[in-house]
Amino acid sequence: AMHEGHIVSAQELTVLLQSLFTQNSRNLVLFLQDRLSVDDFTYHSESYGNKNPFQNEILQSSPSSLVLPAVDCEATRYLLSYLQESGDWKLTNVTYLSVSQLEVNASEGNLLVVQLQPLVSGLKEISTLEAIAENDKIIGRVTMDLQKRGIHFSVIYTAVRPSRISRRTDVVPELRRQLMATEEEDGLSYPPLNMTTGNHTCILFYASNFSLKANSSVFIDLTNATFVTQNVDISDSECSDSNTTLSLKYTNPVDGISSLQMRFLMTNKFYEGSARQWFTLDSVEIVQDGEKFAKFNVSRISAPAEYSFHCQLVGTSNLYPARLIPANNEAKNWDILISRLQIQGFNIENNQFSYANDCTGFFTPGIWMGLVTSVILLWILTYGIHMIMQLTTNSRFDDPKGPALSVPQTE
């Protein structure tokens, strides 16, 4: 039993999961969602007027179960690697789109990682409630199939990051800044993808959401495959002092696409105007099934060679601060969304990102709104003062004891 407010640490989680490796079951299914909190089970229930998306009764019907309301992000970040090291498993990665093709060999231990549908996406028009309901159906479909085949298994349902972050209101003001900093650090729920040559890291790449849409219909979420399970081939990446290429190759990312490769081409040049080296992301390329080639020119993605580059939104939309502009006809069939992009291809030290050059300029929309409002108010104040200064008072007054005051019209 966990007391209220307790967050399970990485060490506590490993102790709690030890029972999985002492049971007779040699099969483990890990359902991995992009974000989830225990409050979601009540927030989306029928008591709030919505249809309950959680229809599975596997938790109640199982002989033993464990619910952990809050788990440290550090623990969930390395959960998959811990499970792989703790048992002699055959690792199988499955997406929610290809779960119907899942095959399990009951004669050996299996670690099945099912990447569920993301709850938040800028490219997919689906509500959170519908996404949770669909994921619940996927969980039921997989577990029922294993039960019908007589395969004994254990299930873990978790997420990469929490969907709701509760803020403590009883902390003293002196600790508020520190608390906010801790919550912000927990937002980075998985490490960046790194490309190494020998013992040297030459490329770092991170994104909180890495999604594609092909032909305005096929949605491809590459976030978990790139950063969590790292089910991506980066062997074709190249590094040098002047040119760097990050190559991400995926096998069967969705039904209908057997292979998908994305390449980020970066250069490092000396510019006389600034008298220093700058690195730029020149282009992004997509190769589908080894044949269809799409190329995008890149705008506003550059930084000093010693820095990394960061941008909140990068993609093909005109509304994004940094744009990927289609350079050929095939590129017009793709939509790209990369949230919280941070990339560095040169001068990496201690396997960490350097100081980030952000895509947002100094004059943000908020600053412009403040300046325009200040100018309007200043103009109103100046006009009012000018009008007050134009007021004149009478120079002559009527004397009740004397004759009436006569003012000629000429005055």
Side-chain angles (χ1 to χ4, degrees):
M2 301 296 173
H3 62 80
E4 182 182 0
H6 178 71
I7 299 178
V8 178
S9 64
Q11 184 177 4
E12 292 173 327
L13 183 62
T14 56
V15 174
L16 293 170
L17 294 180
Q18 285 298 324
S19 59
L20 291 176
F21 314 116
T22 58
Q23 297 175 353
N24 295 329
S25 173
R26 298 181 61 246
N27 301 285
L28 179 61
V29 185
L30 174 62
F31 292 102
L32 195 60
Q33 205 163 269
D34 61 338
R35 54 187 66 192
L36 179 70
S37 293
V38 69
D39 294 340
D40 293 333
F41 292 89
T42 55
Y43 183 79
H44 297 288
S45 64
E46 293 178 340
S47 59
Y48 283 85
N50 298 323
K51 183 179 179 181
N52 188 1
F54 302 101
Q55 300 292 333
N56 276 324
E57 298 182 356
I58 184 172
L59 191 66
Q60 291 76 15
S61 61
S62 60
S64 63
S65 61
L66 175 65
V67 177
L68 303 177
V71 180
D72 188 12
C73 288
E74 286 290 334
T76 56
R77 185 182 304 177
Y78 300 105
L79 175 62
L80 182 59
S81 60
Y82 167 73
L83 293 176
Q84 289 181 267
E85 296 171 357
S86 302
D88 186 15
W89 313 97
K90 176 187 176 183
L91 178 62
T92 303
N93 288 288
V94 184
T95 65
Y96 66 96
L97 296 173
S98 58
V99 71
S100 58
Q101 304 174 0
L102 178 63
E103 297 181 359
V104 179
N105 186 1
S107 61
E108 57 183 356
N110 295 278
L111 174 57
L112 309 177
V113 181
V114 182
Q115 300 176 24
L116 299 175
Q117 184 172 221
L119 302 188
V120 179
S121 173
L123 293 178
K124 195 165 188 180
E125 297 179 357
I126 183 171
S127 67
T128 301
L129 187 66
E130 293 174 346
I132 290 179
E134 185 65 28
N135 289 341
D136 186 73
K137 293 178 183 178
I138 294 174
I139 294 174
R141 193 180 306 133
V142 173
T143 54
M144 288 296 296
D145 181 64
L146 294 176
Q147 288 177 344
K148 289 180 181 179
R149 297 172 59 181
I151 299 176
H152 297 283
F153 61 93
S154 300
V155 171
I156 297 177
Y157 180 29
T158 186
V160 177
R161 66 180 73 88
S163 60
R164 306 172 191 274
I165 299 178
S166 59
R167 301 183 183 273
R168 292 177 54 194
T169 58
D170 57 341
V171 294
V172 294
E174 291 78 10
L175 296 180
R176 188 60 183 173
R177 183 181 296 274
Q178 181 179 358
L179 177 64
M180 293 290 288
T182 302
E183 291 174 352
E184 186 175 353
E185 290 175 1
D186 288 344
L188 187 68
S189 53
Y190 41 76
L193 180 70
N194 64 79
M195 170 62 188
T196 59
T197 55
N199 296 326
H200 174 65
T201 300
C202 61
I203 302 176
L204 286 175
F205 175 66
Y206 173 82
S208 62
N209 183 19
F210 186 21
S211 307
L212 308 177
K213 199 172 186 181
N215 300 317
S216 301
S217 59
V218 181
F219 177 76
I220 309 172
D221 187 0
L222 303 175
T223 309
N224 289 338
T226 306
F227 304 104
V228 182
T229 62
Q230 295 192 357
N231 187 24
V232 57
D233 182 11
I234 59 175
S235 59
D236 290 343
S237 301
E238 299 177 355
C239 296
S240 68
D241 294 337
S242 58
N243 295 280
T244 296
T245 301
L246 173 61
S247 174
L248 307 175
K249 188 180 295 184
Y250 307 88
T251 303
N252 296 321
V254 292
D255 291 339
I257 299 180
S258 59
S259 67
L260 184 69
Q261 183 179 13
M262 289 198 67
R263 292 195 291 257
F264 297 81
L265 284 73
M266 294 169 281
T267 58
N268 181 19
K269 296 181 181 179
F270 180 81
Y271 291 86
E272 296 181 355
S274 59
R276 67 182 307 171
Q277 298 275 354
W278 284 72
F279 97 83
T280 57
L281 178 60
D282 296 326
S283 62
V284 175
E285 300 174 350
I286 299 178
V287 181
Q288 176 188 344
D289 299 329
E291 299 177 354
K292 299 180 180 180
F293 175 78
K295 182 177 180 180
F296 300 85
N297 295 326
V298 182
S299 67
R300 298 185 60 186
I301 296 185
S302 62
E306 301 81 9
Y307 290 8
S308 63
F309 175 82
H310 174 269
C311 195
Q312 194 68 21
L313 287 173
V314 176
T316 51
S317 173
N318 295 331
L319 303 177
Y320 297 159
R323 287 195 58 205
L324 303 180
I325 305 171
N328 59 6
N329 292 330
E330 186 64 32
K332 297 178 181 178
N333 299 325
W334 291 89
D335 292 323
I336 303 176
L337 170 62
I338 308 176
S339 302
R340 290 183 59 191
L341 168 71
Q342 188 164 3
I343 190 170
Q344 184 173 356
F346 305 93
N347 303 314
I348 298 175
E349 297 181 358
N350 300 323
N351 198 26
Q352 294 180 347
F353 281 114
S354 302
Y355 179 84
N357 182 44
D358 201 276
C359 63
T360 303
F362 178 77
F363 287 97
T364 62
I367 293 177
W368 278 115
M369 290 176 63
L371 289 175
V372 172
T373 304
S374 299
V375 170
I376 293 175
L377 293 177
L378 183 61
W379 180 83
I380 295 174
L381 178 62
T382 304
Y383 180 77
I385 294 175
H386 176 72
M387 295 298 293
I388 292 175
M389 293 178 63
Q390 297 299 318
L391 294 177
T392 58
T393 59
N394 294 332
S395 59
R396 288 177 289 180
F397 300 92
D398 215 356
D399 185 2
K401 296 181 179 180
L405 181 64
S406 177
V407 179
Q409 292 185 359
T410 57
E411 298 184 12

